C-alpha cells in the first residue's frame, strides 16, 4: 500500500504496473489521422518486483500503440527481457568494471537501420521487435565494446547514427558513429578531465558537441551503494566541439558557467560560423544527493568557436523537461521546440501542459490538459516526408488522475492550443516514464 512514507517513484502514476496486457481496436475520441501509420512506443522504468531504490532503477517496460487506417489497432506493453530482468545478473564484473551486457534498458527506444533498440546509458542496446518482443543485446556485430547513450542521434542528411558512452572507469568518454546501414564505422576515445555523468549530446551538420558538466563520479557514494554521481564546485563545465569525421585531437573545448543539462533540444551551425544549441538547463544538480529536487528552463548557448567563448541566454523561465523537435531538422536551423511544462513546484513532472516554443521569435503557446491530466514527453511526427516543420502531430501519453488511467493523446503540432485531434483510452495505466519514438511502418 502506498503511504506518505512511500518514495515518490512508487506512488501515484510513478508506481509500476504489474501486468503485460494486449488490447485491440481501442476506443477513440476524435479522429486518428490516417497519415499516422506505425507504432508509438515509449520506454520507462517499471520494476518487475514492484519496488526499486530509485525511479531510475526499474526494469524497462515498453508501452506501444499501433496506429493504422485511422484506428488505434492495438495496445501492448512488455518488459524488456534483459539479463537483469531474466536472471538478475550482476551489473559489475569481479574487477569492478561494468558488465555492459547487463542493463535495465529503461530509458529510450529508437529505430535505426531496420532495428529497434531499447536503451539505457550504462549498457549495450537491447534489440526488440516492433511488437516489443526482446531479441537480445545488440553490439554491432561485436564492434561496440562500450555502453551506448540513451540519446543517439540520426543525421537526416547521411542516415548515420552518432552516439557516445561514458563510464566511471577510463576511458571516461567514447564517441561512436554507425553508418546508415547500421555498421559501426568509428569509435573514438574523447579525453576529458574526469568521469562525469553525460546523459545526452548534440550534433550539427558539421559538428558533434559533448557536454562535460560538473556532476562527477564519487567513489564513496558508489561504495555506499547509492547513486555515485554528485554536484562538484571544483570540476568546472565545458562543451567539446568536434568536427564531424574528426577525432579527439580535433575537439575544441570551451568553458561555460557551471550547470547541468540532461537534454538539449537541437543544435545547428549559424551563418556567423558559430553554433547555436538550445537546452533544458538546471542551475545545478544533486548537490545534496540525487533525490534533491531541481528544475530546468530553456536556455540558448551560442558557441563562438573563433573566440573560444559561449554566450548563454535564458529564453524562458518556466520549468520544462523532455524537449523534442522535428527530427528532420536534426543538426540544422529549426524553428519549433516542444517540451513538458513540469510545474513550478518540486512535484517531479506533474505539470499539466505541453509548451510549443517558436524559437525564431522566442514566443510560445501551450496546451493545458486540465486539472489532474498530466502529459509526458511529446513526440513530433511529420504529416508527410515533405511537410512543413510543424505540419504534423504531437503524440504523448496523458495520465488522468480522476480515473487513475491513461490516454494516448494526439495534438496537431501546428495548432497545439486546439482540442486534441484524437484521444485514445488505454486499457491500463501507463506509469510516468522517459522517452519514446514513433516507429513508422517500413515502406
Ligand atoms: Fe533522457
Amino acid at each position: 500500500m502506498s503511504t506518505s512514507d512511500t518514495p515518490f517513484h512508487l506512488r501515484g502514476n510513478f508506481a509500476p504496473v504489474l501486468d503485460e496486457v494486449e488490447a485491440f481496436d481501442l476506443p477513440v475520441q476524435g479522429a486518428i489521422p490516417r497519415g499516422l501509420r506505425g507504432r508509438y512506443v515509449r520506454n520507462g522504468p517499471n520494476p518487475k518486483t514492484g519496488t526499486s531504490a530509485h525511479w531510475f532503477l526499474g526494469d524497462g517496460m515498453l508501452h506501444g500503440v499501433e496506429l493504422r487506417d485511422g484506428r488505434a489497432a492495438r495496445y501492448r506493453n512488455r518488459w524488456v527481457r534483459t539479463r537483469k530482468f531474466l536472471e538478475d545478473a550482476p551489473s559489475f564484473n569481479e574487477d569492478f568494471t561494468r558488465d555492459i551486457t547487463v542493463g535495465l534498458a529503461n530509458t529510450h527506444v529508437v529505430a535505426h537501420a531496420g532495428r529497434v533498440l531499447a536503451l539505457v546509458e550504462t549498457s549495450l542496446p537491447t534489440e526488440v521487435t516492433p511488437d516489443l518482443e526482446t531479441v537480445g543485446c545488440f553490439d554491432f556485430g561485436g564492434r561496440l565494446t562500450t555502453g551506448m547513450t540513451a540519446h543517439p542521434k540520426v543525421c537526416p542528411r547521411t542516415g548515420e547514427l552518432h552516439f557516445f558512452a561514458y563510464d566511471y572507469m577510463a576511458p571516461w568518454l567514447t564517441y561512436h558513429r554507425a553508418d546508415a546501414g547500421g555498421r559501426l564505422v568509428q569509435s573514438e576515445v574523447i579525453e576529458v578531465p574526469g568521469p562525469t555523468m553525460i546523459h545526452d549530446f548534440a550534433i550539427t551538420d558539421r559538428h558533434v558537441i559533448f557536454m562535460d558538466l560538473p556532476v562527477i563520479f564519487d567513489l564513496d557514494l558508489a561504495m555506499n551503494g547509492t547513486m555515485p554521481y554528485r554536484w562538484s564546485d571544483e570540476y568546472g563545465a565545458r562543451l567539446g566541439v568536434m568536427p564531424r569525421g574528426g577525432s579527439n585531437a580535433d575537439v575544441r573545448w570551451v568553458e561555460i558557467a557551471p550547470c547541468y543539462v540532461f537534454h538539449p533540444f537541437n543544435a545547428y551551425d549559424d551563418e556567423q560560423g558559430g553554433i547555436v544549441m538550445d537546452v533544458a538547463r538546471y542551475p545545478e544538480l544533486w548537490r545534496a544527493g540525487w533525490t534533491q529536487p531541481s528544475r530546468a528552463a530553456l536556455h540558448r548557448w551560442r558557441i563562438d568557436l573563433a573566440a573560444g567563448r559561449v554566450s548563454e541566454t535564458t529564453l524562458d523561465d518556466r520549468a520544462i523537461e523532455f524537449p523534442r523537435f522535428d527530427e528532420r531538422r536534426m543538426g540544422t536551423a529549426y524553428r519549433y521546440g516542444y517540451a513538458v511544462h513540469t510545474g513550478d513546484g518540486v512535484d517531479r513532472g506533474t505539470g499539466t501542459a505541453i509548451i510549443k516554443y517558436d524559437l525564431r521569435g522566442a514566443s510560445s503557446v501551450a496546451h493545458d490538459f486540465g486539472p489532474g491530466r498530466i502529459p509526458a514527453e511529446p513526440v513530433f511526427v511529420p504529416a508527410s516526408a515533405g511537410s512543413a516543420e510543424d505540419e504534423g502531430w504531437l503524440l504523448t501519453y496523458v495520465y488522468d488522475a480522476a480515473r487513475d488511467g491513461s490516454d494516448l493523446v494526439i495534438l496537431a503540432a501546428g495548432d497545439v492550443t486546439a482540442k486534441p485531434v484524437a484521444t485514445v483510452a488505454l486499457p491500463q495505466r501507463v506509469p510516468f516514464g522517459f522517452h519514446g519514438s514513433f516507429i513508422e511502418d517500413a515502406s
Side-chain angles (χ1 to χ4, degrees):
M1 186 170 43
S2 170
T3 71
S4 58
D5 292 336
T6 307
F8 83 87
H9 70 284
L10 300 173
R11 273 187 273 147
N13 194 44
F14 286 95
V17 293
L18 297 176
D19 296 310
E20 294 183 318
V21 168
E22 188 165 51
F24 298 90
D25 277 318
L26 311 170
V28 180
Q29 264 180 38
I32 293 173
R34 297 183 82 83
L36 284 171
R37 287 182 296 271
R39 294 162 166 97
Y40 172 60
V41 184
R42 202 223 58 197
N43 204 346
N46 194 101
K48 71 171 179 178
T49 60
T51 188
S52 61
H54 189 278
W55 190 32
F56 294 176
L57 298 181
D59 304 281
M61 178 180 273
L62 301 167
H63 296 262
V65 177
E66 186 178 335
L67 304 173
R68 70 182 73 267
D69 307 324
R71 296 181 303 127
R74 179 167 67 155
Y75 163 85
R76 193 166 211 240
N77 69 307
R78 286 292 181 273
W79 269 292
V80 185
R81 265 69 174 170
T82 62
R83 291 186 57 214
K84 180 63 91 180
F85 178 92
L86 292 171
E87 2 163 345
D88 199 20
S91 307
F92 301 96
N93 300 308
E94 285 182 357
D95 63 356
F96 304 111
T97 57
R98 191 178 284 287
D99 183 343
I100 57 171
T101 69
V102 178
L104 293 162
N106 67 8
T107 310
H108 203 346
V109 54
V110 301
H112 183 251
R115 288 192 177 83
V116 182
L117 304 175
L119 300 170
V120 68
E121 63 201 36
T122 51
S123 311
L124 290 171
T126 302
E127 185 175 356
V128 298
T129 70
D131 278 342
L132 314 183
E133 299 296 337
T134 299
V135 177
C137 265
F138 177 66
D139 65 1
F140 293 83
R143 287 169 178 256
L144 182 61
T145 56
T146 71
M148 181 179 191
T149 173
H151 291 285
K153 311 293 179 206
V154 179
C155 172
R157 183 168 50 81
T158 64
E160 291 171 323
L161 188 73
H162 297 257
F163 59 99
F164 68 91
Y166 74 94
D167 203 340
Y168 56 87
M169 288 180 134
W172 293 319
L173 177 61
T174 309
Y175 163 77
H176 302 278
R177 177 167 54 93
D179 66 16
R183 181 182 149 87
L184 194 65
V185 292
Q186 184 181 7
S187 293
E188 187 77 31
V189 171
I190 306 297
E191 289 176 47
V192 287
T196 60
M197 181 175 77
I198 308 178
H199 183 70
D200 198 347
F201 75 135
I203 62 169
T204 73
D205 266 348
R206 299 206 304 269
H207 298 99
V208 178
I209 302 148
F210 303 104
M211 299 184 287
D212 188 35
L213 305 177
V215 173
I216 64 166
F217 178 74
D218 183 310
L219 186 60
D220 290 338
L221 293 175
M223 299 301 278
N224 287 335
T226 183
M227 165 54 100
Y229 289 89
R230 64 164 174 82
W231 181 260
S232 166
D233 283 322
E234 291 79 45
Y235 188 80
R238 55 199 70 81
L239 304 178
V241 180
M242 183 178 80
R244 295 253 303 251
S247 69
N248 174 60
D250 303 311
V251 178
R252 291 270 317 272
W253 289 99
V254 282
E255 299 291 317
I256 60 170
C259 66
Y260 195 75
V261 169
F262 282 103
H263 303 120
F265 285 77
N266 198 7
Y268 56 93
D269 304 295
D270 71 12
E271 287 159 4
Q272 291 77 44
I275 296 170
V276 174
M277 181 166 171
D278 296 327
V279 296
R281 176 191 183 275
Y282 294 80
E284 65 175 44
L285 188 81
W286 298 350
R287 178 183 289 280
W290 75 322
T291 54
Q292 179 186 4
S294 45
R295 70 195 291 283
L298 172 59
H299 285 62
R300 171 163 287 185
W301 289 329
R302 185 172 183 282
I303 307 169
D304 183 335
L305 285 172
R309 273 200 308 266
V310 179
S311 63
E312 182 174 88
T313 312
T314 307
L315 297 185
D316 188 22
D317 285 330
R318 286 172 292 181
I320 56 159
E321 251 303 352
F322 298 111
R324 296 295 292 249
F325 59 98
D326 178 351
E327 291 184 356
R328 295 174 301 173
R329 300 291 194 279
M330 178 73 73
T332 64
Y334 74 126
R335 180 167 179 181
Y336 299 110
Y338 311 93
V340 178
H341 179 18
T342 54
D344 285 319
V346 292
D347 45 3
R348 291 187 181 272
T350 53
T352 59
I354 283 176
I355 300 173
K356 173 187 181 183
Y357 289 107
D358 180 342
L359 294 157
R360 192 178 292 170
S363 64
S364 67
V365 291
H367 186 99
D368 197 316
F369 291 83
R373 284 181 60 80
I374 300 163
E377 177 190 59
V379 172
F380 176 82
V381 185
S384 65
S387 63
E389 186 178 336
D390 66 347
E391 190 186 337
W393 303 283
L394 298 177
L395 273 59
T396 186
Y397 290 136
V398 175
Y399 174 63
D400 186 341
R403 74 168 207 275
D404 193 28
S406 298
D407 300 318
L408 168 63
V409 176
I410 303 171
L411 301 178
D415 191 8
V416 295
T417 58
K419 71 175 193 180
V421 171
T423 300
V424 180
L426 303 179
Q428 77 171 349
R429 184 171 67 77
V430 176
F432 297 135
F434 297 133
H435 307 285
S437 296
F438 189 73
I439 299 169
E440 294 190 37
D441 290 348
S443 51

mmCIF file of all heavy atoms in Angstrom, residues 66-91:
data_model
loop_
_atom_site.group_PDB
_atom_site.id
_atom_site.type_symbol
_atom_site.label_atom_id
_atom_site.label_comp_id
_atom_site.label_asym_id
_atom_site.label_seq_id
_atom_site.Cartn_x
_atom_site.Cartn_y
_atom_site.Cartn_z
ATOM 1 N N GLU A 66 -0.331 0.866 -31.723
ATOM 2 C CA GLU A 66 -0.197 0.738 -33.173
ATOM 3 C C GLU A 66 -1.346 1.496 -33.832
ATOM 4 O O GLU A 66 -2.518 1.268 -33.508
ATOM 5 C CB GLU A 66 -0.271 -0.749 -33.512
ATOM 6 C CG GLU A 66 -0.004 -1.090 -34.938
ATOM 7 C CD GLU A 66 -0.051 -2.611 -35.140
ATOM 8 O OE1 GLU A 66 0.181 -3.371 -34.169
ATOM 9 O OE2 GLU A 66 -0.352 -3.016 -36.263
ATOM 10 N N LEU A 67 -0.977 2.421 -34.729
ATOM 11 C CA LEU A 67 -1.974 3.253 -35.407
ATOM 12 C C LEU A 67 -1.981 2.912 -36.886
ATOM 13 O O LEU A 67 -0.921 2.883 -37.521
ATOM 14 C CB LEU A 67 -1.636 4.738 -35.219
ATOM 15 C CG LEU A 67 -1.506 5.207 -33.767
ATOM 16 C CD1 LEU A 67 -1.000 6.650 -33.725
ATOM 17 C CD2 LEU A 67 -2.837 5.095 -33.037
ATOM 18 N N ARG A 68 -3.162 2.615 -37.417
ATOM 19 C CA ARG A 68 -3.255 2.450 -38.870
ATOM 20 C C ARG A 68 -4.694 2.580 -39.339
ATOM 21 O O ARG A 68 -5.619 2.294 -38.592
ATOM 22 C CB ARG A 68 -2.619 1.150 -39.342
ATOM 23 C CG ARG A 68 -3.256 -0.150 -39.039
ATOM 24 C CD ARG A 68 -2.380 -1.276 -39.581
ATOM 25 N NE ARG A 68 -1.165 -1.461 -38.767
ATOM 26 C CZ ARG A 68 0.021 -0.899 -38.977
ATOM 27 N NH1 ARG A 68 0.209 -0.097 -40.013
ATOM 28 N NH2 ARG A 68 1.025 -1.109 -38.165
ATOM 29 N N ASP A 69 -4.844 3.065 -40.564
ATOM 30 C CA ASP A 69 -6.167 3.232 -41.194
ATOM 31 C C ASP A 69 -7.114 4.039 -40.307
ATOM 32 O O ASP A 69 -8.314 3.766 -40.256
ATOM 33 C CB ASP A 69 -6.798 1.853 -41.497
ATOM 34 C CG ASP A 69 -5.858 0.956 -42.298
ATOM 35 O OD1 ASP A 69 -5.147 1.515 -43.153
ATOM 36 O OD2 ASP A 69 -5.827 -0.256 -42.048
ATOM 37 N N GLY A 70 -6.565 4.999 -39.585
ATOM 38 C CA GLY A 70 -7.401 5.819 -38.713
ATOM 39 C C GLY A 70 -7.866 5.101 -37.459
ATOM 40 O O GLY A 70 -8.743 5.590 -36.751
ATOM 41 N N ARG A 71 -7.273 3.948 -37.169
ATOM 42 C CA ARG A 71 -7.662 3.184 -35.979
ATOM 43 C C ARG A 71 -6.501 3.101 -35.004
ATOM 44 O O ARG A 71 -5.334 3.125 -35.401
ATOM 45 C CB ARG A 71 -8.061 1.744 -36.364
ATOM 46 C CG ARG A 71 -9.288 1.634 -37.241
ATOM 47 C CD ARG A 71 -9.583 0.160 -37.531
ATOM 48 N NE ARG A 71 -8.455 -0.511 -38.146
ATOM 49 C CZ ARG A 71 -7.898 -1.647 -37.696
ATOM 50 N NH1 ARG A 71 -8.357 -2.245 -36.620
ATOM 51 N NH2 ARG A 71 -6.878 -2.199 -38.322
ATOM 52 N N ALA A 72 -6.836 2.966 -33.729
ATOM 53 C CA ALA A 72 -5.836 2.583 -32.730
ATOM 54 C C ALA A 72 -5.916 1.062 -32.650
ATOM 55 O O ALA A 72 -6.676 0.495 -31.880
ATOM 56 C CB ALA A 72 -6.139 3.224 -31.384
ATOM 57 N N ALA A 73 -5.154 0.419 -33.544
ATOM 58 C CA ALA A 73 -5.372 -1.006 -33.798
ATOM 59 C C ALA A 73 -4.996 -1.885 -32.607
ATOM 60 O O ALA A 73 -5.617 -2.926 -32.397
ATOM 61 C CB ALA A 73 -4.574 -1.430 -35.026
ATOM 62 N N ARG A 74 -3.988 -1.463 -31.829
ATOM 63 C CA ARG A 74 -3.542 -2.355 -30.757
ATOM 64 C C ARG A 74 -2.730 -1.590 -29.715
ATOM 65 O O ARG A 74 -1.948 -0.714 -30.055
ATOM 66 C CB ARG A 74 -2.668 -3.474 -31.342
ATOM 67 C CG ARG A 74 -2.156 -4.424 -30.281
ATOM 68 C CD ARG A 74 -1.587 -5.675 -30.892
ATOM 69 N NE ARG A 74 -0.372 -5.414 -31.655
ATOM 70 C CZ ARG A 74 0.569 -6.338 -31.879
ATOM 71 N NH1 ARG A 74 0.409 -7.564 -31.434
ATOM 72 N NH2 ARG A 74 1.639 -6.030 -32.570
ATOM 73 N N TYR A 75 -2.928 -1.933 -28.456
ATOM 74 C CA TYR A 75 -2.038 -1.516 -27.372
ATOM 75 C C TYR A 75 -1.345 -2.763 -26.836
ATOM 76 O O TYR A 75 -1.967 -3.826 -26.722
ATOM 77 C CB TYR A 75 -2.820 -0.863 -26.223
ATOM 78 C CG TYR A 75 -2.024 -0.799 -24.925
ATOM 79 C CD1 TYR A 75 -1.140 0.243 -24.688
ATOM 80 C CD2 TYR A 75 -2.136 -1.807 -23.963
ATOM 81 C CE1 TYR A 75 -0.390 0.287 -23.514
ATOM 82 C CE2 TYR A 75 -1.396 -1.775 -22.793
ATOM 83 C CZ TYR A 75 -0.517 -0.725 -22.577
ATOM 84 O OH TYR A 75 0.230 -0.701 -21.427
ATOM 85 N N ARG A 76 -0.099 -2.609 -26.493
ATOM 86 C CA ARG A 76 0.636 -3.726 -25.919
ATOM 87 C C ARG A 76 1.717 -3.161 -25.005
ATOM 88 O O ARG A 76 2.336 -2.150 -25.340
ATOM 89 C CB ARG A 76 1.308 -4.476 -27.072
ATOM 90 C CG ARG A 76 1.845 -5.821 -26.727
ATOM 91 C CD ARG A 76 2.147 -6.577 -28.041
ATOM 92 N NE ARG A 76 1.960 -7.986 -27.809
ATOM 93 C CZ ARG A 76 2.918 -8.903 -27.959
ATOM 94 N NH1 ARG A 76 4.117 -8.562 -28.389
ATOM 95 N NH2 ARG A 76 2.666 -10.164 -27.706
ATOM 96 N N ASN A 77 1.947 -3.761 -23.865
ATOM 97 C CA ASN A 77 3.105 -3.390 -23.049
ATOM 98 C C ASN A 77 3.913 -4.640 -22.739
ATOM 99 O O ASN A 77 3.351 -5.721 -22.525
ATOM 100 C CB ASN A 77 2.675 -2.679 -21.762
ATOM 101 C CG ASN A 77 1.964 -3.585 -20.784
ATOM 102 O OD1 ASN A 77 1.002 -4.248 -21.142
ATOM 103 N ND2 ASN A 77 2.426 -3.598 -19.544
ATOM 104 N N ARG A 78 5.215 -4.482 -22.776
ATOM 105 C CA ARG A 78 6.101 -5.615 -22.500
ATOM 106 C C ARG A 78 7.339 -5.122 -21.762
ATOM 107 O O ARG A 78 7.912 -4.081 -22.114
ATOM 108 C CB ARG A 78 6.573 -6.270 -23.817
ATOM 109 C CG ARG A 78 5.512 -7.100 -24.520
ATOM 110 C CD ARG A 78 5.160 -8.355 -23.727
ATOM 111 N NE ARG A 78 4.166 -9.185 -24.380
ATOM 112 C CZ ARG A 78 2.847 -9.047 -24.268
ATOM 113 N NH1 ARG A 78 2.338 -8.030 -23.560
ATOM 114 N NH2 ARG A 78 2.023 -9.875 -24.857
ATOM 115 N N TRP A 79 7.742 -5.889 -20.733
ATOM 116 C CA TRP A 79 9.055 -5.640 -20.163
ATOM 117 C C TRP A 79 10.121 -5.994 -21.193
ATOM 118 O O TRP A 79 9.928 -6.921 -22.009
ATOM 119 C CB TRP A 79 9.268 -6.535 -18.940
ATOM 120 C CG TRP A 79 8.852 -5.930 -17.637
ATOM 121 C CD1 TRP A 79 9.436 -4.875 -16.988
ATOM 122 C CD2 TRP A 79 7.771 -6.365 -16.794
ATOM 123 N NE1 TRP A 79 8.778 -4.626 -15.801
ATOM 124 C CE2 TRP A 79 7.760 -5.532 -15.659
ATOM 125 C CE3 TRP A 79 6.815 -7.378 -16.905
ATOM 126 C CZ2 TRP A 79 6.836 -5.680 -14.621
ATOM 127 C CZ3 TRP A 79 5.903 -7.534 -15.882
ATOM 128 C CH2 TRP A 79 5.912 -6.687 -14.763
ATOM 129 N N VAL A 80 11.233 -5.291 -21.135
ATOM 130 C CA VAL A 80 12.388 -5.673 -21.934
ATOM 131 C C VAL A 80 13.088 -6.804 -21.178
ATOM 132 O O VAL A 80 13.445 -6.645 -20.009
ATOM 133 C CB VAL A 80 13.359 -4.484 -22.131
ATOM 134 C CG1 VAL A 80 14.483 -4.879 -23.079
ATOM 135 C CG2 VAL A 80 12.610 -3.261 -22.655
ATOM 136 N N ARG A 81 13.219 -7.953 -21.857
ATOM 137 C CA ARG A 81 13.807 -9.139 -21.203
ATOM 138 C C ARG A 81 15.338 -9.033 -21.237
ATOM 139 O O ARG A 81 16.006 -9.694 -22.044
ATOM 140 C CB ARG A 81 13.347 -10.407 -21.905
ATOM 141 C CG ARG A 81 12.129 -11.086 -21.286
ATOM 142 C CD ARG A 81 10.885 -10.316 -21.454
ATOM 143 N NE ARG A 81 9.730 -11.093 -20.950
ATOM 144 C CZ ARG A 81 8.529 -10.608 -20.783
ATOM 145 N NH1 ARG A 81 8.287 -9.332 -21.067
ATOM 146 N NH2 ARG A 81 7.553 -11.357 -20.324
ATOM 147 N N THR A 82 15.872 -8.199 -20.375
ATOM 148 C CA THR A 82 17.322 -8.085 -20.251
ATOM 149 C C THR A 82 17.843 -9.233 -19.392
ATOM 150 O O THR A 82 17.061 -9.958 -18.757
ATOM 151 C CB THR A 82 17.695 -6.764 -19.566
ATOM 152 O OG1 THR A 82 17.117 -6.791 -18.252
ATOM 153 C CG2 THR A 82 17.153 -5.564 -20.330
ATOM 154 N N ARG A 83 19.160 -9.354 -19.325
ATOM 155 C CA ARG A 83 19.736 -10.355 -18.418
ATOM 156 C C ARG A 83 19.435 -9.975 -16.967
ATOM 157 O O ARG A 83 19.319 -10.843 -16.109
ATOM 158 C CB ARG A 83 21.244 -10.481 -18.627
ATOM 159 C CG ARG A 83 21.598 -11.108 -19.975
ATOM 160 C CD ARG A 83 23.097 -11.350 -20.077
ATOM 161 N NE ARG A 83 23.553 -12.187 -18.985
ATOM 162 C CZ ARG A 83 24.745 -12.073 -18.403
ATOM 163 N NH1 ARG A 83 25.602 -11.143 -18.821
ATOM 164 N NH2 ARG A 83 25.099 -12.865 -17.415
ATOM 165 N N LYS A 84 19.290 -8.699 -16.706
ATOM 166 C CA LYS A 84 18.912 -8.262 -15.349
ATOM 167 C C LYS A 84 17.492 -8.747 -15.037
ATOM 168 O O LYS A 84 17.211 -9.280 -13.973
ATOM 169 C CB LYS A 84 19.011 -6.731 -15.276
ATOM 170 C CG LYS A 84 18.654 -6.112 -13.958
ATOM 171 C CD LYS A 84 19.582 -6.550 -12.853
ATOM 172 C CE LYS A 84 20.770 -5.667 -12.665
ATOM 173 N NZ LYS A 84 21.640 -6.152 -11.566
ATOM 174 N N PHE A 85 16.605 -8.577 -16.003
ATOM 175 C CA PHE A 85 15.213 -8.987 -15.811
ATOM 176 C C PHE A 85 15.099 -10.507 -15.694
ATOM 177 O O PHE A 85 14.407 -11.032 -14.812
ATOM 178 C CB PHE A 85 14.374 -8.488 -17.000
ATOM 179 C CG PHE A 85 12.921 -8.885 -16.944
ATOM 180 C CD1 PHE A 85 11.979 -8.053 -16.363
ATOM 181 C CD2 PHE A 85 12.497 -10.092 -17.486
ATOM 182 C CE1 PHE A 85 10.642 -8.420 -16.308
ATOM 183 C CE2 PHE A 85 11.159 -10.469 -17.436
ATOM 184 C CZ PHE A 85 10.235 -9.631 -16.847
ATOM 185 N N LEU A 86 15.792 -11.228 -16.593
ATOM 186 C CA LEU A 86 15.604 -12.683 -16.674
ATOM 187 C C LEU A 86 16.314 -13.431 -15.561
ATOM 188 O O LEU A 86 15.787 -14.394 -15.009
ATOM 189 C CB LEU A 86 16.120 -13.200 -18.021
ATOM 190 C CG LEU A 86 15.328 -12.758 -19.257
ATOM 191 C CD1 LEU A 86 16.070 -13.156 -20.520
ATOM 192 C CD2 LEU A 86 13.926 -13.368 -19.242
ATOM 193 N N GLU A 87 17.557 -13.015 -15.253
ATOM 194 C CA GLU A 87 18.375 -13.826 -14.338
ATOM 195 C C GLU A 87 18.897 -13.016 -13.170
ATOM 196 O O GLU A 87 19.726 -13.512 -12.403
ATOM 197 C CB GLU A 87 19.582 -14.468 -15.072
ATOM 198 C CG GLU A 87 19.707 -14.106 -16.488
ATOM 199 C CD GLU A 87 21.066 -14.385 -17.123
ATOM 200 O OE1 GLU A 87 22.063 -14.614 -16.427
ATOM 201 O OE2 GLU A 87 21.112 -14.327 -18.350
ATOM 202 N N ASP A 88 18.470 -11.740 -13.052
ATOM 203 C CA ASP A 88 19.018 -10.840 -12.044
ATOM 204 C C ASP A 88 20.549 -10.848 -12.087
ATOM 205 O O ASP A 88 21.223 -10.895 -11.060
ATOM 206 C CB ASP A 88 18.508 -11.207 -10.648
ATOM 207 C CG ASP A 88 18.671 -10.039 -9.683
ATOM 208 O OD1 ASP A 88 18.806 -8.894 -10.165
ATOM 209 O OD2 ASP A 88 18.693 -10.269 -8.461
ATOM 210 N N ALA A 89 21.083 -10.840 -13.307
ATOM 211 C CA ALA A 89 22.537 -10.888 -13.487
ATOM 212 C C ALA A 89 23.180 -9.666 -12.849
ATOM 213 O O ALA A 89 22.620 -8.564 -12.897
ATOM 214 C CB ALA A 89 22.859 -10.936 -14.977
ATOM 215 N N PRO A 90 24.362 -9.818 -12.249
ATOM 216 C CA PRO A 90 25.032 -8.663 -11.637
ATOM 217 C C PRO A 90 25.503 -7.664 -12.690
ATOM 218 O O PRO A 90 25.896 -8.044 -13.786
ATOM 219 C CB PRO A 90 26.220 -9.281 -10.895
ATOM 220 C CG PRO A 90 26.409 -10.635 -11.474
ATOM 221 C CD PRO A 90 25.110 -11.075 -12.069
ATOM 222 N N SER A 91 25.457 -6.379 -12.331
ATOM 223 C CA SER A 91 25.824 -5.321 -13.273
ATOM 224 C C SER A 91 27.335 -5.142 -13.401
ATOM 225 O O SER A 91 27.802 -4.474 -14.321
ATOM 226 C CB SER A 91 25.226 -3.988 -12.820
ATOM 227 O OG SER A 91 23.841 -4.122 -12.620
#
